[in-house]
C-alpha cells in the first residue's frame, strides 16, 4: 500500500516510491489549477478543472497542459519545494494556456506556443517572486498577463499564428451606448459567469462548479467570489455597460479575483478590511473598463491586468492603514 492519505487540502504522502511521486506531481498540478483563484487546495483545483471541461474540452485540455508544463519546468530546475507543492508555479501556466487557446486559432503551432509560453511563465514567476519578496508583494497573475500579451503582440510579425475574433479590433476606443435591458436572468447568469470568466468561460454552470470548489477550500473565499462578481456586475450596470457584457460576466472576473485576494487572503479579517476590499473590488471593475479602452488601439485584451494593478496598489497602501493591515504570507 502506498503511504497516501487525503487531508483537508489534498493528498498527503508518507513515502517516496515512484507511484507516490507521480501522485504527488498530479496533486501539485491540481493545486496549481486551484491557485488561479488563490486556493492551495487539490479538491478546488479538480472542480475548477471539471468546470472548464464542462464548458469546453479544448480549454480544459489547455488548462491541464499549461499547469502540467509550468509545474514540470519548475520541478526540473529545482524550484523551492514548498512553493512548488503549493501550486505557485502552476496557475500562471494554466492561464497562459487557456488564454492563448481563447484568443488564437488552436492549430498545431498554437499548441507549441502554449507549451513554450507555459514553461516561460515559471521562469518569469521565479524572477518576480525573487524581486517582489523585497517589497513583500504578491506576484499574482502578472506572469500570465505579460507573457500572453507578448505572444499576442508577436502575432503581428508571425504569419502562421492567427488570432480569433475574440481579440479586440485595433482602433481608437469608441463611445458605447447602453445596450439591452438588464433583467433577473441577466443578473443570475452574470453573477456566476463572472466567476467562470476567471478561466475565460462564459458559463453559469461552470461558475457554479467554481463556487463549489471555493466552498470546499474556503467559505470566505467563496463568499468573496460571489460578492466580487455581484459588485462588478452592479458597477458595470450602474455605469451603463452593455447587457450582453454584463450577462457574460466580462465585468466580473477581475472583481472576483480582487475580492478573493483582499477579503480572504492578503488582509487581516475585520470590518475595516472588508470595506477596504469592497472599495478595491469596485475599483477593479472601473479599471477593467479603463485598461480595456487603453489597450483597444493596439488590439489587446485587458485579461487580469486590472486585478493585478488594483491588488498591488491596495496591498502597498494597506501597510500605512493600521486598521486594515496586511497578512504575512511568506
Amino acid at each position: 500500500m502506498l503511504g497516501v492519505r487525503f487531508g483537508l487540502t489534498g493528498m498527503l504522502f508518507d513515502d517516496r516510491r515512484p507511484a507516490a511521486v507521480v501522485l504527488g506531481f498530479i496533486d501539485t498540478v491540481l493545486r496549481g489549477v486551484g491557485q488561479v483563484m488563490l486556493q492551495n487546495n487539490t479538491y478546488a483545483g479538480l472542480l475548477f478543472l471539471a468546470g472548464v471541461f464542462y464548458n469546453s474540452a479544448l480549454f480544459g485540455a489547455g488548462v491541464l497542459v499549461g499547469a502540467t508544463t509550468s509545474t514540470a519546468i519548475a520541478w526540473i530546475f529545482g524550484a523551492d519545494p514548498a512553493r512548488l507543492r503549493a501550486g505557485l508555479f502552476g496557475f500562471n501556466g494554466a492561464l497562459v494556456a487557456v488564454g492563448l487557446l481563447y484568443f488564437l486559432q488552436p492549430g498545431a503551432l498554437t499548441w507549441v506556443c502554449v507549451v513554450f509560453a507555459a514553461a516561460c511563465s515559471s521562469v518569469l514567476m521565479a524572477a518576480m517572486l525573487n524581486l517582489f519578496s523585497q517589497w513583500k508583494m504578491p506576484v499574482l497573475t502578472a506572469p500570465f498577463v505579460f507573457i500572453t500579451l507578448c505572444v499576442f503582440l508577436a502575432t503581428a510579425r508571425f504569419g502562421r499564428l492567427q488570432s480569433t475574433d475574440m481579440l479586440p479590433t485595433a482602433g481608437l476606443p469608441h463611445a458605447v451606448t447602453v445596450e439591452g435591458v438588464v433583467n433577473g436572468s441577466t443578473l443570475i447568469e452574470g453573477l456566476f459567469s463572472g466567476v467562470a470568466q476567471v478561466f475565460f468561460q462564459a458559463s453559469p454552470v461552470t461558475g457554479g462548479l467554481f463556487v463549489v470548489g471555493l466552498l470546499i477550500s474556503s467559505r470566505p473565499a467563496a463568499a468573496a467570489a460571489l460578492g466580487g462578481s455581484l459588485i462588478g456586475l452592479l458597477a458595470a450596470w450602474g455605469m451603463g455597460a452593455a447587457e450582453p457584457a454584463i450577462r457574460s460576466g466580462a465585468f466580473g472576473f477581475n472583481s472576483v479575483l480582487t475580492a478573493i485576494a483582499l477579503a480572504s487572503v492578503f488582509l487581516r479579517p475585520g470590518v475595516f478590511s472588508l470595506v477596504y476590499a469592497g472599495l478595491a473590488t469596485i475599483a477593479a471593475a472601473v479599471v477593467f473598463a479603463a485598461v480595456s479602452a487603453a489597450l483597444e488601439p493596439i488590439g489587446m485584451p485587458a485579461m487580469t491586468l486590472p486585478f493585478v494593478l488594483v491588488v498591488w496598489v491596495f496591498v502597498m497602501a494597506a501597510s500605512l492603514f493600521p486598521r486594515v493591515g496586511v497578512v504575512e504570507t511568506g
Side-chain angles (χ1 to χ4, degrees), residues 17-320:
R17 282 179 285 177
V21 171
V22 171
L23 286 175
F25 181 79
I26 293 171
D27 184 74
T28 299
V29 169
L30 290 174
R31 288 175 188 269
V33 177
Q35 286 284 11
V36 171
M37 292 200 219
L38 296 94
Q39 304 305 301
N40 178 14
N41 189 290
T42 306
Y43 314 121
L46 186 60
L47 277 166
F48 294 170
L49 188 61
V52 178
F53 265 110
Y54 170 84
N55 193 52
S56 168
L58 173 67
F59 294 141
V63 169
L64 197 54
V65 168
T68 300
T69 300
S70 58
T71 301
I73 287 294
W75 175 74
I76 288 169
F77 291 145
D80 174 62
R83 285 172 167 166
L84 186 66
R85 185 81 177 94
L88 293 183
F89 287 96
F91 68 98
N92 277 291
L95 286 174
V96 163
V98 75
L100 292 184
L101 291 169
Y102 185 79
F103 290 108
L104 298 179
Q105 297 290 347
L109 185 58
T110 300
W111 277 103
V112 171
C113 289
V114 162
V115 173
F116 174 72
C120 289
S121 74
S122 285
V123 178
L124 184 55
M125 181 65 173
M128 295 189 73
L129 281 170
N130 194 32
L131 176 64
F132 279 39
S133 64
Q134 303 174 44
W135 305 318
K136 297 182 179 180
M137 286 286 294
V139 175
L140 306 174
T141 59
F144 150 63
V145 172
F146 296 150
I147 287 176
T148 309
L149 285 177
C150 182
V151 173
F152 294 157
L153 289 168
T155 60
R157 293 293 180 268
F158 297 149
R160 291 196 175 97
L161 286 174
Q162 302 298 319
S163 64
T164 64
D165 58 1
M166 301 308 297
L167 276 177
T169 302
L172 294 175
H174 53 83
V176 177
T177 58
V178 178
E179 176 186 339
V181 177
V182 174
N183 53 32
S185 173
T186 304
L187 297 178
I188 294 172
E189 288 189 35
L191 177 66
F192 288 97
S193 291
V195 181
Q197 284 283 10
V198 171
F199 281 88
F200 298 94
Q201 308 303 299
S203 165
V205 175
T206 295
L209 286 171
F210 289 177
V211 172
V212 173
L214 289 169
L215 276 170
I216 291 173
S217 177
S218 166
R219 283 179 290 180
L226 288 173
S229 184
L230 180 63
I231 288 173
L233 181 155
L234 293 176
W237 183 18
M239 293 290 185
E243 191 272 347
I246 295 173
R247 182 182 292 271
S248 71
F251 284 90
F253 67 100
N254 278 283
S255 294
V256 166
L257 289 171
T258 301
I260 293 173
L262 295 180
S264 69
V265 178
F266 296 120
L267 301 182
R268 287 200 310 263
V271 174
F272 291 107
S273 294
L274 196 60
V275 173
Y276 190 72
L279 181 63
T281 302
I282 297 171
V286 178
V287 173
F288 172 74
V291 172
S292 297
L295 293 178
E296 187 175 331
I298 56 174
M300 292 293 106
M303 298 183 290
T304 60
L305 182 56
F307 153 64
V308 171
L309 295 176
V310 169
V311 172
W312 280 350
V313 168
F314 275 74
V315 168
M316 281 192 289
S319 63
L320 295 182

